[in-house]
Amino acid sequence: EDQVTQSPEALRLQEGESSSLNCSYTVSGLRGLFWYRQDPGKGPEFLFTLYSAGEEKEKERLKATLTKKESFLHITAPKPEDSATYLCAVLIFYGGSQGNLIFGKGTKLSVKP
Amino acid sequence: DSGVTQTPKHLITATGQRVTLRCSPRSGDLSVYWYQQSLDQGLQFLIQYYNGEERAKGNILERFSAQQFPDLHSELNLSSLELGDSALYFCASSVEGTNTEAFFGQGTRLTVV
């Protein structure tokens, strides 16, 4: 069964305290891995797409990396405005051009000043 | 602002009723996806349309249906509503049909009483 697991479920950091969020997956036919940020009551906001093991992408204080079995979202010197739920999703193909995004349950990040 | 518009933002209705949720995708996007997000289940893919045709189906109940119109807006119809259908319903759109870099709307919060 295709599955995406994120850990930890919740993470509390002090401002400036760097850390990493994990997304592990067991899927067949992986075509890409996505990171989204979601603020309470709002739709997910696209952050990164990673397609192959070894790939890295950065945006401000965030850096996403991908291996064959998992992805990490590294947060360097976080600020309170980075507080949000971070969602990981994997794109799988069932055949032809039919794809589906399978989401993890997210990591709720709180950054205290 | 992602460019994806969903209406209404909030909807309260009684069990057994039928409601219609509407989504206008970003200009130029041909693909529309519908997701359900509840507290315990996370984001669940329901259905995808591409240029007016159904492309992929996820965990969508038989009581639910959707369509995409020639102007590319989409509607999600929920009927015989149950308390457990209370959730956030998100629409997302992307240029292609492969679910890459989908942009989400702000969601419709459905409460069934």
Side-chain angles (χ1 to χ4, degrees), chain A residues 36 38 43 97-98 100 105, chain B residues 37 40 45 55 90 101-102 105:
Chain A
Y36 284 85
Q38 187 175 23
S97 59
Q98 289 200 13
N100 186 18
K105 294 193 174 182
Chain B
Q37 187 175 40
D40 56 343
F45 168 69
R55 176 64 67 92
F90 287 105
E101 297 187 30

Side-chain angles (χ1 to χ4, degrees), chain B residues 22-26 28-29 32 51-52 68-74:
Chain B
R22 182 187 168 101
C23 170
S24 295
R26 291 188 318 157
D29 284 358
V32 169
N51 204 21
Q68 186 179 29
F69 295 87
D71 67 352
L72 300 178
H73 91 271
S74 178

Side-chain angles (χ1 to χ4, degrees), chain B residues 31-42:
Chain B
S31 203
V32 169
Y33 314 82
W34 286 97
Y35 289 86
Q36 180 191 57
Q37 187 175 40
S38 55
L39 283 174
D40 56 343
Q41 290 292 322

